Amino acid sequence: MSELSDKIKGNWNTIKGRIKEEYAEVTDDQLLYEEGQEDQLVGNLQKAMGKTKEEVKEFIDSCC
């Protein structure tokens, strides 16, 4: 499991709250987290946030 996967799995509620605070346009459907689907989640967030994959990962890293 990758470091990103561990971080998402362990801190998802915190991460989700921070995303909703900063990017109100992100929907609950786009924030659905299913274990093992981190790449799909990051892709959904890229589209919703208008960020690159690396920017999304950096945002997640900064949350926790």
Side-chain angles (χ1 to χ4, degrees):
M1 193 175 289
S2 74
E3 183 178 335
L4 178 66
S5 297
D6 289 342
K7 185 164 283 203
I8 290 173
K9 185 176 179 183
N11 300 298
W12 182 237
N13 287 331
T14 302
I15 295 166
K16 185 167 61 170
R18 291 280 310 277
I19 291 170
K20 287 179 125 180
E21 284 175 8
E22 291 201 34
Y23 300 94
E25 66 276 5
V26 176
T27 67
D28 287 335
D29 285 344
Q30 291 167 319
L31 290 170
L32 286 178
Y33 169 71
E34 294 182 39
E35 192 169 339
Q37 299 298 317
E38 289 83 9
D39 287 338
Q40 184 176 352
L41 172 66
V42 170
N44 287 342
L45 292 175
Q46 276 182 263
K47 291 177 189 173
M49 296 164 69
K51 303 287 183 187
T52 67
K53 185 175 186 176
E54 288 306 313
E55 288 172 322
V56 171
K57 287 180 177 183
E58 287 174 13
F59 182 87
I60 291 170
D61 283 340
S62 73
C63 289
C64 309

